[in-house]
């Protein structure tokens, strides 16, 4: 153990803000019911209310995958940074 203070990256980074937005966007879209509580426009005879929600299932999957990949990249960068910091001491 050394007395030198450890320098660490901030907890809130731009990448983590993007991750949070990717995870929060589907909740906001689905909780704002008045924005999609209508029949028109229809898609192959399916009212907007239903196909909009099904579209968000796909969008949510894509956003979750993006958030996961960004999180993995962020964690690898942090581990690499810690390894470099430990090697120079």
């Amino acid at each position: 153990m050394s007395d030198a203070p450890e320098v660490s990256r901030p907890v809130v980074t731009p990448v983590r803000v993007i991750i949070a937005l990717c995870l929060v966007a589907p909740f906001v879209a689905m909780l704002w019911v008045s924005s999609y509580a209508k029949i028109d426009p229809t898609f192959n005879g399916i009212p907007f209310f239903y196909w909009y929600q099904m579209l968000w299932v796909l969008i949510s999957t894509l956003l979750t995958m993006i958030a996961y990949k960004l999180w993995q990249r962020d964690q690898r960068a942090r581990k690499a940074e810690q390894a470099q910091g430990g090697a120079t001491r």
Side-chain angles (χ1 to χ4, degrees):
M1 289 199 303
S2 68
D3 293 333
E6 287 189 31
V7 177
S8 63
R9 291 174 43 189
V11 177
V12 178
T13 62
V15 171
R16 288 185 176 192
V17 170
I18 293 170
I19 291 169
L21 289 174
C22 285
L23 296 175
V24 169
F27 289 102
V28 171
M30 291 293 92
L31 290 174
W32 187 20
V33 178
S34 63
S35 71
Y36 62 92
K38 52 190 172 188
I39 295 173
D40 290 325
T42 59
F43 178 72
N44 288 338
I46 301 169
F48 181 75
F49 181 79
Y50 295 112
W51 69 258
Y52 178 81
Q53 291 178 68
M54 289 298 107
L55 180 63
W56 269 101
V57 170
L58 300 174
I59 294 170
S60 298
T61 302
L62 180 65
L63 290 173
T64 302
M65 286 174 27
I66 291 169
Y68 179 69
K69 293 298 182 183
L70 288 172
W71 180 257
Q72 282 183 324
R73 191 176 83 181
D74 185 58
Q75 293 303 303
R76 280 194 303 269
R78 284 180 175 270
K79 285 182 183 179
E81 186 178 277
Q82 287 177 351
Q84 282 181 343
T88 58
R89 291 184 188 170

